[in-house]
C-alpha cells in the first residue's frame, strides 16, 4: 500500500518510486512488449538540451587555424557519436522542504491528509497534459530500486540522477591539456566510442552539464534521468522485464472507458499483477479511485 500513500499520511518515502507518463497507444505497446525504451537525446522535446555544451580554452602557443581545426574535430566527434547515448526520462515525487511540509500539513484537515495526492509523481498536472495526451493516457508507477538494478545489468556504462534546473545553461570547460588529450584519443580511436566511453565514465561535470541540466521552464516535470552508452546507434534500446518493477498504473481522468478495460485485459493476459487507479483533479485536491 505504500504505492498509494499521500505525502502527508505519515511514513511516506519520496525516493522509492519513479513515474512514466505516456499516451494510451504507447502504453499498450509497453505492456505487450514488457519493456521501456531508451531514446536518443536528440529526440527530446527541448531542442537546446540535445546540443553539446562545450567551451574551449585556447592554448597561448596555438594558432587560430589549428585551434579551430581541433575544436571542430572534437565537436564533430561528439555530434557523430551522440546517437550512441540513449536516455530514459521519468518523473519523481515532488521534493518538499520541511517548512513547506509543515505548513501544508497544518492547513489540511485530518481526512484530506489521507486523500489528497498532490505532489505525488503520478499527480503532476503538467505531465498529464503534456505527455499523457491531455489526461487521456496513463502513468506507470515503477519501483526505483528494481528498475535501476535492471539498468545496471543491461548497461555497464550508464548514469542515473535527478535533473538540475537552472536559469541558464552552463558549459563544460575543456582546458588546453584536455583538448590535446581528446584530439589524440579521437585520432587513435577512429570511429570507435572509446573517447566517449571515457567521458561518460570519468567526467561527471561533462555529464551533468550536457545531460542532467535543463532550464527552469521544465522544472515542473521533476525529472529523473537514466543515460546509457550503447553499441549501435540505429538499434532499439530498452529495459526489459517491466513486470518485475511495475508497481501500479494510473489512468487519466479523461481516458476512454474502453481503454481502461483494454489495459486491465492486457495486464491479465501478460500475467502482470498491479493495481489500476484513476486520477481525478478537483478544485482543491487530487484524488485516485
Amino acid at each position: 500500500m505504500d504505492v498509494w500513500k499521500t505525502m502527508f499520511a505519515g511514513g511516506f518515502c519520496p525516493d522509492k518510486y519513479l513515474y512514466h507518463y505516456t499516451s494510451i497507444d504507447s502504453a499498450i505497446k509497453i505492456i505487450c512488449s514488457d519493456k521501456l525504451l531508451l531514446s536518443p537525446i536528440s529526440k527530446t522535446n527541448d531542442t537546446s538540451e540535445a546540443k553539446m555544451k562545450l567551451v574551449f580554452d585556447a592554448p597561448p602557443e596555438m594558432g587560430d587555424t589549428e585551434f579551430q581545426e581541433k575544436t571542430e574535430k572534437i565537436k564533430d566527434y561528439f555530434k557523430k557519436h551522440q546517437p550512441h547515448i540513449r536516455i530514459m526520462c521519468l518523473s519523481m515525487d515532488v521534493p518538499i522542504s520541511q517548512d513547506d511540509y509543515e505548513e501544508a500539513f497544518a492547513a489540511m484537515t485530518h481526512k484530506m491528509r489521507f486523500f489528497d495526492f498532490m505532489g505525488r509523481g503520478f499527480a503532476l498536472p503538467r505531465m498529464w497534459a503534456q505527455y499523457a495526451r491531455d489526461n487521456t493516457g496513463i502513468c506507470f508507477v515503477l519501483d526505483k530500486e528494481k528498475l535501476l538494478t535492471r539498468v545496471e545489468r543491461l548497461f555497464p556504462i550508464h548514469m542515473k540522477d535527478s535533473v538540475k534546473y537552472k536559469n541558464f545553461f552552463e558549459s563544460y570547460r575543456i582546458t588546453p591539456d584536455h583538448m590535446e588529450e581528446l584530439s589524440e584519443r579521437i585520432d587513435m580511436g577512429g570511429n570507435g566510442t572509446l573517447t566517449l566511453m571515457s567521458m561518460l565514465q570519468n567526467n561527471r561535470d561533462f555529464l551533468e552539464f550536457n545531460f542532467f541540466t535543463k532550464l527552469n521552464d521544465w522544472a515542473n516535470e521533476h525529472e529523473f534521468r537514466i543515460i546509457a552508452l550503447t553499441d549501435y546507434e540505429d538499434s532499439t534500446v530498452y529495459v526489459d522485464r517491466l513486470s518485475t518493477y511495475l508497481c501500479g498504473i494510473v489512468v487519466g481522468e479523461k481516458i476512454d472507458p474502453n481503454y481502461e478495460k483494454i489495459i486491465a485485459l492486457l495486464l491479465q493476459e501478460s500475467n502482470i499483477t498491479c493495481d489500476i487507479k484513476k486520477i481525478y483533479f478537483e478544485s482543491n485536491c487530487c484524488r485516485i479511485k
Side-chain angles (χ1 to χ4, degrees), residues 165-216:
Y165 298 97
K166 299 184 177 182
N167 290 324
F168 303 98
F169 282 121
E170 296 180 36
S171 296
Y172 178 75
R173 184 169 295 279
I174 296 181
T175 65
D177 289 343
H178 196 183
M179 184 174 67
E180 288 292 342
E181 179 186 0
L182 283 173
S183 181
E184 291 177 4
R185 286 188 179 185
I186 292 171
D187 291 339
M188 293 174 61
N191 293 326
T193 58
L194 182 62
T195 301
L196 189 58
M197 185 184 303
S198 175
M199 295 292 284
L200 293 180
Q201 284 181 314
N202 303 317
N203 298 76
R204 187 174 181 88
D205 286 347
F206 170 82
L207 287 167
E208 289 184 352
F209 291 170
N210 287 283
F211 302 112
F212 289 90
T213 301
K214 296 185 74 170
L215 297 178
N216 278 329

Side-chain angles (χ1 to χ4, degrees), residues 1-2 4-12 100-120 122 284-288:
M1 294 302 295
D2 285 349
W4 309 118
K5 275 187 176 181
T6 71
M7 298 181 71
F8 302 94
F12 173 68
D100 288 342
Y101 178 91
E102 292 175 358
E103 181 180 353
F105 187 86
M108 286 182 171
T109 65
H110 179 75
K111 182 178 179 180
M112 289 309 298
R113 293 168 188 167
F114 296 91
F115 290 98
D116 189 350
F117 289 87
M118 279 296 187
R120 285 298 310 271
F122 57 76
N284 63 342
C285 70
C286 171
R287 298 177 182 266
I288 59 171

Side-chain angles (χ1 to χ4, degrees), residues 1 3-4 141 246-250 267 272-277:
M1 294 302 295
V3 179
W4 309 118
V141 183
L246 178 63
C247 298
I249 287 178
V250 183
L267 291 174
I272 299 175
T273 303
C274 72
D275 290 334
I276 303 176
K277 303 287 186 179

